[in-house]
Amino acid sequence: MSVLFYRRPDYVSQASGPMTSSTCQRYIERAGSRTAIPRGLSFESVLTGKTMPPCSLGDFMDYLTYIQHNAENLQFYLWLWDYKRRFAEKRLQDQALSPEWKSEPSLSSRTPVRGSRGSLAVRADPVADEVEYAEPSPDIPSSGIPFTTIPTLAPSRTAGGVASRASLTRNQGLKPTTQPFRAEIDKVVAHYIAIGSPRELNISARDRAKVISALQHTTHPSALALIGDVVDVTLRSHSHPNFIRWSICNGNKPYVFFVRSVGIICIVLSIIMMVLLTLSQASRWWRIAATPQLLFGIATIVAGYKGLCLILHAKGIRNVRPWEQFDDDIPSFVDEDGGATTTEKLREKRASLSAFGPKISVEKEHWVARYKNKSLLRKVFDKQEWVQDEGIRRLQAKIAFQSQLWAVVTGIPLVALFVVLPSGNFY
């Protein structure tokens, strides 16, 4: 990876409309090169708790909640991950009550298939080249079903709409109440899949109907594979790259704007200084005195463009996020002995957010009004804390070194140009 030309993960814009297989494919194509994200900050590393703030699982949940506003994807994904594990631990006779949901690839001309090494590949036609993305880690179970596969059995219709689950399962000789985790599956449908549910997933009406039809027959995890794989690709190829890009920034918006302004002022003052010395009778070597100020200004601008403050990076710290600043004032987040919890404990509580509950309303969060009322000066010089994750510090170090190299490459020739100019001798 070239240090001089290192780039953060490309920003992957959110597609309009519901999540579908075509949307997921666009996410994969827009995600760009995965070399920008080291192995230590991979999607699997974040979900398995191998990363530290500001790139922990709790920070990922915060990002999806307050920045991307689709935390339901991660909440559902974590529940499904745990549900697959719990279902596999059931006795075989209990699992037999919920047979695997049989599905087949859709008739779309672009059907993902499993590559030779187990990774998903996309074919435009039978002889087209494969477009692959990172192979899932063994630590995170995969459904093993391509995300565009759909159940072949359409939901039965009655005069009132889709038939009840009891009537559908009775045709197969199964009793819904005897199936393992039936009550939990009903709760998942009510929280994530049904229209108007508290944490409704942004999926198409077609996929929604097919998954509900599958869940009316069985509680096997394969019945959720259709939306499970869509959510998986969305998190891997859209949310995660954007989260890593966002985590590299060590300053908030007011602070980054302040740092950029300081950089511009340093560049302007250094150029003015060299111009005045050139027009004077002073020795031309005095013009070199503006070099440190010029290089600092250029390096600050380059790093600030990528959301990095060189001063904060040199100290190994970052600005605290707005929602982290007032955590000590939350009465519901206190230890049993009455003492206030630490920031790390609060992050752990967010990371273990219940899979079921109301949709988080950011506007009603306790910190929104208080942060909005803070003065601009206090926002610039906000609270700070250590950057604990080694992978993030290394990426920040690359950007910092890159900005310094660009400062030398562009600043030194400019200073040399002023040095070789003859003196104006105007004063």
Side-chain angles (χ1 to χ4, degrees), residues 1-4 6-9 35-42 45 50-55 244 247-250 306 308 310 312-314 316-317 387-404:
M1 186 187 305
S2 174
V3 174
L4 188 59
Y6 170 76
R7 294 176 57 189
R8 291 182 298 166
T35 57
I37 302 179
R39 186 182 300 273
L41 296 175
S42 65
S45 297
K50 297 179 181 178
T51 54
M52 299 287 290
C55 202
I244 298 300
S247 299
I248 293 174
C249 303
N250 61 0
K306 298 183 178 182
L308 187 70
L310 295 178
L312 292 180
H313 170 68
I317 58 179
V387 177
Q388 301 179 38
D389 191 87
E390 182 65 28
I392 289 293
R393 290 202 298 266
R394 289 177 181 174
L395 294 183
Q396 291 176 342
K398 287 180 180 290
I399 295 176
F401 183 62
Q402 180 188 62
S403 64
Q404 295 167 5

Side-chain angles (χ1 to χ4, degrees), residues 188-206:
V188 167
V189 172
H191 274 75
Y192 292 100
I193 304 176
I195 297 176
S197 54
R199 299 177 181 180
E200 180 182 351
L201 295 173
N202 185 26
I203 56 178
S204 66
R206 180 172 176 265

Side-chain angles (χ1 to χ4, degrees), residues 203-217:
I203 56 178
S204 66
R206 180 172 176 265
D207 292 345
R208 192 186 311 274
K210 291 183 180 296
V211 170
I212 291 178
S213 172
L215 293 176
Q216 289 171 336
H217 289 76

Side-chain angles (χ1 to χ4, degrees), residues 21-22 25 29 106-112 122-125 131 148:
S21 58
S22 58
Q25 177 57 31
E29 295 172 351
S106 65
L107 299 179
S108 172
S109 59
R110 298 178 61 84
T111 303
V122 178
R123 294 183 183 273
D125 55 65
V131 180
T148 52

Side-chain angles (χ1 to χ4, degrees), residues 4 6-7 53 70 75-76 82 99 106 114 145 149 168 173 207 210 216 240 243 267 290-291 304 312 321 329 375 378:
L4 188 59
Y6 170 76
R7 294 176 57 189
N70 57 359
Q75 291 163 350
F76 174 80
D82 180 67
S106 65
R114 290 283 169 181
I145 303 175
T149 59
L168 287 169
D207 292 345
K210 291 183 180 296
Q216 289 171 336
H240 176 253
F243 168 64
I267 293 175
T291 303
L312 292 180
R321 312 299 183 191
D329 302 330
S375 64
R378 290 185 61 193

Side-chain angles (χ1 to χ4, degrees), residues 225-244:
L226 179 60
I227 59 175
D229 286 326
V230 169
V231 170
D232 178 88
V233 174
T234 301
L235 288 172
R236 289 177 183 272
S237 300
H238 174 249
S239 300
H240 176 253
N242 289 346
F243 168 64
I244 298 300

